[in-house]
């Protein structure tokens, strides 16, 4: 029987590489609350990314909630409908109102022109997503945030290892939130980090992720439990020296798709943006009318062959029952996002996807249609 091929597989170090850390954790019995591994991984990660300040957290969803809360925002947050539900859920959990703006047809990231048209006196922040790890139009979004006095918080869940003009993509905006979930380029089982610009914001977020505790008698602010545990931090430390090689192997898979799928009518592969060094987190293709088969028919045909390509991100978040009543969720307001959601299919990509399995996927995409 053929093996199933999933959209991704988590990258893990050899178990032996992690065992010494586990033994140390067992001996110390420090499992959480800012233990030695938390501190070491936080410092090592900041150095790896080339950023001065960051705070580890449980996952990106909690990270986004903490980021929005730390900024003390009130009102509306302009965001993309073409994202994972966590982006918008975090806005609502922070007591804010999401407002959807349309996306750019090439990058599938928030269109700054659409963002500008959505700004009202109630707007307090912009929350763009670097979708699939590809950089948003950071300069235009920076200009908007500065010009209108808005906060800029990036959902950087997909961007581990991505650089723009030689700097980590997490360097843009007031805050950037990364995910280290099992399905991401870099994983700590579950986990995340918030990158910030100054020590004062780090102190606020560090406090908020530990319930708001200042000391044994004082609690400041309505915090939550967003701390990374010692096991995840130990895994992060073990993964860090390996991640560049992991991204190189992903690049090889990416290149094989681009060669194998070039010239297939109606199949558009999304690519990196100018001045970006990508991490190949996803391999999205747009199944356009010229392909001779709809995206959903293609997905079903691949599924029947054991290949689990995924429709990230369909349905649009704005179409979910929680949001579809919002004026900004109206279909005519989001035509580009709507088209992308109907055409996108993310193909399997992970470092140890074998050439034989990938050739099978490419063959199915090239020849099985129509
Ligand atoms: N913002 C954005 C833009 C995001 O994309 C995400 C998460 C977040 C924020 C929130 O980040 P976190 O709070 O999670 O840190 C997955 C992930 O669960 C989710 O983290 C991710 N985005 C989203 C895009 O994809 P599903 O429902 O597709 O996951 P699932 O369980 O179907 O996994 C996909 C495939 O991966 C499986 O078919 C098999 C493989 N897999 C998965 C897991 C969990 C494994 O091989 N091993 C595993 O442990 O959401």
């Amino acid at each position: 029987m053929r093996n199933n091929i999933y959209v991704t597989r988590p990258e893990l170090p050899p178990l032996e590489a992690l065992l010494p850390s586990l033994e140390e954790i067992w001996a110390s019995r420090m499992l959480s609350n800012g233990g030695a591994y938390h501190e070491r991984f936080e410092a090592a990660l900041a150095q790896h990314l080339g950023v001065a300040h960051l705070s580890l957290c449980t996952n990106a969803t909690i990270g986004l909630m903490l980021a929005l809360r730390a900024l003390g925002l009130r009102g509306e947050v302009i965001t993309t409908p073409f994202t994972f539900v966590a982006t918008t859920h975090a806005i609502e959990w922070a007591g804010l109102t999401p407002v959807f703006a349309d996306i750019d047809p090439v990058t599938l990231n928030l269109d700054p022109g659409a963002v500008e048209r959505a700004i009202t006196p109630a707007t307090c922040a912009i929350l763009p997503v670097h979708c699939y790890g590809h950089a948003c139009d950071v300069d235009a979004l920076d200009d908007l945030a500065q010009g209108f006095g808005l906060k800029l918080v990036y959902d950087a869940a997909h961007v581990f290892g991505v650089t723009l003009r030689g700097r980590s993509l997490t360097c843009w905006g007031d805050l950037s939130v990364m995910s280290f979930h099992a399905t991401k380029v870099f994983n700590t089982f579950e986990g995340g980090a918030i990158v910030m610009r100054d020590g004062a914001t780090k102190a606020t977020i560090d406090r908020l992720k530990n319930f708001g505790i200042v000391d044994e008698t004082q609690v400041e602010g309505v915090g939550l439990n967003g701390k990374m545990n010692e096991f995840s931090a130990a895994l992060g430390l073990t993964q860090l020296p390996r991640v560049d090689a992991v991204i190189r192997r992903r690049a090889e898979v990416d290149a094989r798709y681009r060669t194998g799928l070039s010239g297939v009518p109606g199949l558009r592969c999304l690519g990196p943006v100018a001045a970006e060094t990508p991490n190949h987190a996803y391999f999205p293709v747009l199944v356009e009318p010229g392909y001779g088969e709809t995206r959903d028919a293609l997905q079903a045909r691949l599924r029947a062959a054991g290949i689990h390509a995924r429709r990230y991100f369909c349905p649009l978040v704005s179409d979910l029952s929680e949001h579809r009543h919002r004026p900004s969720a109206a279909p005519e307001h989001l035509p580009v996002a709507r088209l992308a959601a109907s055409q996108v299919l993310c193909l399997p990509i992970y470092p140890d996807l074998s050439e034989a399995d990938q050739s099978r996927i490419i063959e199915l995409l090239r020849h099985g249609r129509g």
Side-chain angles (χ1 to χ4, degrees):
M1 207 184 106
R2 263 197 315 251
N3 285 339
N4 282 313
I5 304 174
Y6 296 101
V7 69
T8 189
R9 293 308 260 172
E11 179 66 20
L12 288 171
L15 189 53
E16 312 81 76
L18 189 63
L19 285 179
S21 314
L22 295 185
E23 283 165 1
E24 214 176 295
I25 292 170
W26 242 253
S28 75
R29 299 210 198 176
M30 278 306 295
L31 310 184
S32 187
N33 288 5
Y37 279 97
H38 180 284
E39 298 308 289
R40 281 171 58 196
F41 178 43
E42 201 167 81
L45 183 61
Q47 192 180 20
H48 180 93
L49 296 174
V51 300
H53 306 283
L54 65 78
S55 183
L56 299 174
C57 55
T58 338
N59 55 57
T61 310
I62 298 279
L64 286 165
M65 288 160 58
L66 285 164
L68 294 167
R69 188 89 191 187
L71 293 172
L73 301 171
R74 291 278 173 280
E76 295 179 353
V77 178
I78 300 173
T79 193
T80 170
F82 192 74
T83 184
F84 189 60
V85 287
T87 314
T88 327
H89 283 352
I91 293 173
E92 291 221 62
W93 273 90
L96 301 161
T97 305
V99 170
F100 299 106
D102 209 357
I103 59 173
D104 176 90
V106 176
T107 63
L108 308 189
N109 285 327
L110 260 182
D111 169 3
V115 172
E116 183 164 9
R117 289 190 291 280
I119 294 173
T120 72
T123 310
C124 61
I126 310 170
L127 203 167
V129 178
H130 298 296
C131 196
Y132 310 128
H134 297 311
C136 291
D137 187 343
V138 290
D139 296 331
L141 291 167
D142 251 348
D143 287 349
L144 280 179
Q146 304 258 332
F148 287 88
L150 305 173
K151 294 293 181 190
L152 186 53
V153 177
Y154 279 104
D155 180 332
H158 300 172
V159 312
F160 198 105
V162 179
T163 61
L164 184 71
R165 299 175 209 138
R167 293 166 69 207
S168 166
L169 190 49
T170 61
C171 293
W172 275 267
D174 293 293
L175 293 161
S176 273
V177 181
M178 311 172 80
S179 170
F180 308 149
H181 183 260
T183 55
K184 297 295 185 282
V185 166
F186 177 90
N187 83 81
T188 57
F189 302 142
E190 293 250 14
I194 306 162
V195 178
M196 63 283 285
R197 308 294 151 238
D198 58 83
T201 309
K202 174 167 165 55
T204 303
I205 287 178
D206 283 350
R207 193 180 69 243
L208 286 175
K209 81 178 182 189
N210 189 27
F211 310 100
I213 291 173
V214 178
D215 57 33
E216 280 185 35
T217 57
Q218 292 182 80
V219 175
E220 243 177 60
V222 184
L224 44 68
N225 184 353
K227 293 163 275 126
M228 179 178 281
N229 68 65
E230 288 292 273
F231 298 93
S232 291
L235 178 60
L237 264 180
T238 313
Q239 301 269 54
L240 210 47
R242 309 170 70 247
V243 68
D244 289 345
V246 164
I247 292 174
R248 281 197 296 276
R249 276 155 56 214
R250 284 180 167 274
E252 288 165 15
V253 177
D254 182 299
R256 286 200 295 266
Y257 272 135
R258 282 181 205 281
T259 307
L261 298 176
S262 76
V264 177
L267 216 52
R268 173 150 70 97
C269 302
L270 259 80
V273 306
E276 171 189 293
T277 307
N279 65 358
H280 313 283
Y282 294 84
F283 198 90
V285 294
L286 294 176
V287 185
E288 296 178 331
Y291 185 66
E293 189 179 32
T294 65
R295 183 273 314 273
D296 289 350
L298 171 61
Q299 186 190 26
R301 186 160 60 76
L302 292 173
R303 184 69 58 97
I307 294 154
H308 298 252
R310 294 289 293 267
R311 306 185 312 173
Y312 298 132
F313 292 100
C314 177
L316 292 178
V317 172
S318 51
D319 280 345
L320 302 179
S321 56
E322 183 62 30
H323 301 295
R324 64 170 88 104
H325 65 278
R326 300 183 192 284
S328 65
E332 62 276 15
H333 183 66
L334 306 166
V336 183
R338 192 156 298 284
L339 185 65
S342 72
Q343 293 182 335
V344 74
L345 193 62
C346 288
L347 304 181
I349 184 164
Y350 45 94
D352 47 2
L353 179 62
S354 72
E355 284 199 51
D357 281 346
Q358 196 179 1
S359 298
R360 192 155 71 81
I361 299 168
I362 291 170
E363 274 307 293
L364 283 161
L365 284 157
R366 285 191 75 86
H367 300 300
R369 71 208 158 87

